[in-house]
Each structure stands twice: as structure tokens, then as C-alpha cells.
Amino acid sequence: MPKIKTNRSAAKRFKATGTGKLKRSKAYKQHILTKKSTKTKRNLRKATITDATNVKNMKKILPYL
């Protein structure tokens, strides 16, 4: 059985937590920040857990995470 290739773009965007959940950073924090409020930008800083509906697909493309 050959090894499964890891999706490299996903490997750079997702990290596993200690309990095995997937941690990701939030979108909309890269550019066009002048029109966004300070509160919005502050909330976008925090990492969050990947939604349960996407975990099955993420585990498939990140087999060794």
C-alpha cells in the first residue's frame, strides 16, 4: 500500500490541537482593513476550531496530521 500524499496547502492552513481537533485562522484579515472596525479586526485575530461538517474532508486530505 503506497503512502497517501498530504495536501500541502491544507497542511499550511490547519494545525491539530492536543485533543485532535483542527485549528484554523479566520478569513478577511489580509487586506482592505481600513473599512473594518477595530472590534472586527480584533476578533479575526483569534484562531478557531474547524466546523464539524468539514472535519471529515480535512482528515482525508491531511492523513498524517
Side-chain angles (χ1 to χ4, degrees):
M1 220 29 219
K3 288 192 263 183
I4 303 167
K5 280 194 175 182
T6 298
N7 182 304
R8 297 310 298 161
S9 63
K12 292 166 188 174
R13 287 173 172 86
F14 296 91
K15 298 284 178 248
T17 62
T19 56
K21 294 178 182 174
L22 292 176
K23 188 171 72 168
R24 65 169 178 86
S25 58
K26 294 180 183 174
Y28 308 111
K29 188 63 170 75
Q30 293 298 316
H31 63 117
I32 316 174
L33 298 172
T34 52
K35 62 178 77 169
K36 293 173 185 145
S37 70
T38 310
K39 182 181 178 182
T40 303
K41 291 185 279 191
R42 182 171 62 245
N43 288 332
L44 290 173
R45 275 185 220 145
K46 304 167 191 161
T48 185
I49 302 297
T50 306
D51 193 63
T53 56
N54 298 323
V55 170
K56 186 179 175 185
N57 290 330
M58 291 291 105
K59 295 283 188 184
K60 195 179 288 184
I61 63 175
L62 298 166
Y64 305 107
L65 191 67

